[in-house]
């Protein structure tokens, strides 16, 4: 029986071709007495620790007839993990369609899986479809007119649609590779399957989301946009219907994939007595540098080489129980206005597939665990709105001024990209508590030792970043059901079980699989 093995740590000059990497793997296998064939790139990352000798480090998959544990160790190889396979349906009768609340990555993959298994799910999404959503976001960016139900947080594809489509994840799950392959099937770049830091790009992701939507509908699924869930109607713990702004919808089961910004839904669920607990989350700012400065700091004389592209980074620093880290780094991207609340300012990062913008940016975040996390998020966002002077202008500050606890130095060399420059200088120390400001300064100083110029005094900070993860968790049982319910599946980032596009999609698959394994469709 043929097996697929993955040979790791094949380092070659970044100018070498993928074919050279495969041939290197085949030669290594042959020397170890393994008869292998049909090689392909499984994973590729950049090793830029030596700027004068930048390498691509490959993992290469090979097919072989048989291999021993000893040969695997000698080859520095592992057997390929089995990919995700949707389960066969269960035997418990399902008399009404499953309803999915939310069409971000979690809801999208749950709906796709259920549709492809014949369950004809009904999706309700408070925001709009791709076309209408793009129009609403463009209008807000140009005029400051905010649609609180259709924006960068709400709508087809979820918040990730307008944040570059970064697929980097810390989870180790065979479902991740399956998710990447499915995204490619719907139009994402092929390299996301093997890049260590895959990204789709907002410009391409919009089309991917639309293609997935069309697939779900073609299989008998229904997607109701501009439809907000207002109630979950239960009898003896069983969800029988959901109330929406467009009427009541009967359901056989409910998958709750609401995303991490649905504060009104959180408050409704808390008021209804669901088992929900506060969880730590992170707050901070966006930092912007010139892309060419970051590229040169990481790649040296090779900066600008199209084979390398714009340089990414990721840093973290811990002091006792406290930590500060970079998140959602956008090479060649821009800082975007990501609020869904009137009178609040929220930042996020976005880049297009080409990643050829003038600046590179990332969030710098500090973990917090306030007594009332939802109120704390809103407090910071309102404070940022007021600091910006209204009209959704954002407060900005140079790193030099932030360290000196003063304001007034206007960014010159590095221009803020937020809403095309709708910013106001302000001392961000006045928004955050002292311990958060101190950790941000510690992080910037520490990261500068790894990336020369990170703490440049004219680098620009924009506040605030508050929507990195859910502030609460909807507790669920080992069967993935909300505690005290028989057919409600809280899932994804909004339920507190994921931390990005890929992990949210994986949890959507997990919950859809739980439903499929349990139920047999009995409705027409």
């Amino acid at each position: 029986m043929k097996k697929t093995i993955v040979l790791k740590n094949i380092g070659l000059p970044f100018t070498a071709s993928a074919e050279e990497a495969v041939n290197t793997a085949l030669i290594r296998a042959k020397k170890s007495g393994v008869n292998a064939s049909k090689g392909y790139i499984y994973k590729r990352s950049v090793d830029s620790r030596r700027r004068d000798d930048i390498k691509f480090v490959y993992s290469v998959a090979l097919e072989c007839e048989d291999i021993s544990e000893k040969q695997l160790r000698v080859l520095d190889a592992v057997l390929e993990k089995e990919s995700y396979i949707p389960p066969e349906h269960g035997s418990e009768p399902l008399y009404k369609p499953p309803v999915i609340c939310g069409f971000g990555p979690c809801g999208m993959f749950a709906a796709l899986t259920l549709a492809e298994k014949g369950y004809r799910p009904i999706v309700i999404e408070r925001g709009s479809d791709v076309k209408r959503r793009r129009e609403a976001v463009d209008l807000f960016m140009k005029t400051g007119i905010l649609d609180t139900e259709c924006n960068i947080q709400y709508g087809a594809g979820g918040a990730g649609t307008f944040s570059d489509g970064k697929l980097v994840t810390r989870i180790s799950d065979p479902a991740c590779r399956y998710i990447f392959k499915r995204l490619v099937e719907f139009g994402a770049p092929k390299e996301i399957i093997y890049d260590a830091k895959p990204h789709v790009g907002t410009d391409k992701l919009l089309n991917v989301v639309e293609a997935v939507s069309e697939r779900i509908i073609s299989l008998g699924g229904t997607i109701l946009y501009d439809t907000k869930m207002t109630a979950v109607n239960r009898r003896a713990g069983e969800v029988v219907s959901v109330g929406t702004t467009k009427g009541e919808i009967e359901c056989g089961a409910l998958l709750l994939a609401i995303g991490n910004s649905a504060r009104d839904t959180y408050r409704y669920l808390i008021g209804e007595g669901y088992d929900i607990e506060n969880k730590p989350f992170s707050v901070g700012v966006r930092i912007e540098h010139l892309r060419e400065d970051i590229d040169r700091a990481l790649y040296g004389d090779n900066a600008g080489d199209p084979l390398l592209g714009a340089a990414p980074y990721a840093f973290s620093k811990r002091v006792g129980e406290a930590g500060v880290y970079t998140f959602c780094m956008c090479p060649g991207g821009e800082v975007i206005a990501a609020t869904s609340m009137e009178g609040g300012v929220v930042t996020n990062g976005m880049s297009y597939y080409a990643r050829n913008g003038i600046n590179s940016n990332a969030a710098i975040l500090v973990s917090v665990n306030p007594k009332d996390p939802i109120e704390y998020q809103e407090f910071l966002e309102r404070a940022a709105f007021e600091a910006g002077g209204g009209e959704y202008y954002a407060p900005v500050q140079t790193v030099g001024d932030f360290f000196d606890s003063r304001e007034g130095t206007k960014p010159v060399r590095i221009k803020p990209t937020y809403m095309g420059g709708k910013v106001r200088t302000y001392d961000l120390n006045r928004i955050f508590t002292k311990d958060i400001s101190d950790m941000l300064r510690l992080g910037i100083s520490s990261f500068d030792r790894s990336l020369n110029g990170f703490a440049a005094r004219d680098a620009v900070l924009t506040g605030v970043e508050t929507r990195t993860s859910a502030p609460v968790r909807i507790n669920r049982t080992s069967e993935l059901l909300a505690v005290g319910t028989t057919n409600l599946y809280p899932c994804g980032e909004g339920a507190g079980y994921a931390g990005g596009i890929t992990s949210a999609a994986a949890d959507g698959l997990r919950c859809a699989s739980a439903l499929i394994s349990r139920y047999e469709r009995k409705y027409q």
Side-chain angles (χ1 to χ4, degrees), residues 99 122 124 224 227-228 230-235 239-251:
V99 171
I122 299 171
I124 55 174
L224 303 174
T227 305
K228 179 180 175 181
T230 57
V232 179
N233 302 313
R234 294 185 293 169
R235 294 197 197 105
V239 178
V240 294
S241 67
V242 292
T244 79
T245 51
K246 293 184 178 177
E248 187 174 349
I249 300 173
E250 293 184 318
C251 64

Side-chain angles (χ1 to χ4, degrees), residues 56 75 91 97 121 167 204 238 372 379:
F56 280 154
L75 283 172
S91 57
L167 305 175
K204 292 183 179 291
E238 179 185 8
D372 192 333
F379 166 78

Side-chain angles (χ1 to χ4, degrees), residues 123-134:
V123 179
I124 55 174
E125 167 56 54
R126 66 193 298 169
S128 301
D129 61 20
V130 167
K131 181 178 182 297
R132 163 77 179 89
R133 189 181 183 198
R134 190 183 316 197

Side-chain angles (χ1 to χ4, degrees), residues 387-407:
E391 298 183 11
Y392 299 99
Y393 277 54
V396 300
Q397 189 174 23
T398 63
V399 165
D401 277 8
F402 182 66
F403 273 69
D404 296 341
S405 295
R406 67 187 186 90
E407 63 185 71

Side-chain angles (χ1 to χ4, degrees), residues 180-192:
F180 298 161
K181 287 181 177 179
R182 296 308 308 269
L183 290 172
V184 169
E185 178 185 330
F186 290 105
K190 292 181 179 179
E191 61 266 24
I192 67 171

